[in-house]
Amino acid sequence: MLRLKVEEGALVLRTPAAAETILSLAPDEEVADRADEVNAAEVIELCFSTFKDGRPFSQARHLRRMGVRGDVRARGALLPDQIRFAIGVGFTSFDLETTDDVDLVRSLIQRFPVSYQPRPGARAAWSQRV
């Protein structure tokens, strides 16, 4: 398992904390229905049962729109080339089921310097037009 976190805009290796309050949400759960628990948790873990299931991306975006400022963690079958998009929708740490190393993941998220989707800290492709 590859454990990463976003720190000062970069992906770094993460060591698991001993006493984190973790709220784990399945992809089919509505985050608004668990608002009290979401606000009390230090870490909200969204589970990718398969890389083809994009519902955790929507859950992360919804959590950020609800005002959640804490750690939103992706866990499971997220592919390394999906990390860049995951960061854009609000994920801040990752527990990935992969044998890839951190350097490969970093290279994949830095491959495309612009994005069509608006997200904090990214240059939008449409703003680069001449």
Side-chain angles (χ1 to χ4, degrees):
M1 180 164 295
L2 183 59
R3 298 178 195 277
L4 304 168
K5 66 179 175 178
V6 179
E7 192 171 277
E8 297 180 15
L11 272 180
V12 297
L13 291 173
R14 178 182 65 78
T15 54
E20 293 176 319
T21 306
I22 299 175
L23 172 63
S24 212
L25 298 176
D28 61 347
E29 289 187 76
E30 290 291 332
V31 295
D33 293 345
R34 312 259 320 254
D36 292 337
E37 293 170 89
V38 162
N39 291 324
E42 292 177 79
V43 178
I44 301 162
E45 187 176 74
L46 304 177
C47 300
F48 286 86
S49 55
T50 175
F51 72 91
K52 298 182 279 185
D53 188 354
R55 293 177 293 178
F57 291 114
S58 299
Q59 289 174 312
R61 169 87 60 179
H62 190 70
L63 286 167
R64 295 304 184 196
R65 287 185 176 160
M66 287 172 53
V68 171
R69 299 280 173 237
D71 187 11
V72 177
R73 182 172 299 155
R75 178 175 193 80
L78 188 65
L79 297 176
D81 61 343
Q82 294 174 308
I83 300 283
R84 185 170 176 267
F85 182 71
I87 293 168
V89 298
F91 285 100
T92 51
S93 68
F94 303 89
D95 284 351
L96 303 176
E97 293 173 358
T98 181
T99 57
D100 295 327
D101 68 359
V102 69
D103 292 328
L104 172 65
V105 176
R106 283 184 191 132
S107 71
L108 288 171
I109 67 170
Q110 294 170 352
R111 181 173 289 170
F112 302 104
V114 295
S115 175
Y116 284 106
Q117 295 84 16
R119 61 185 179 95
R123 294 181 303 151
W126 53 266
S127 69
Q128 306 296 314
R129 293 187 325 197
V130 177

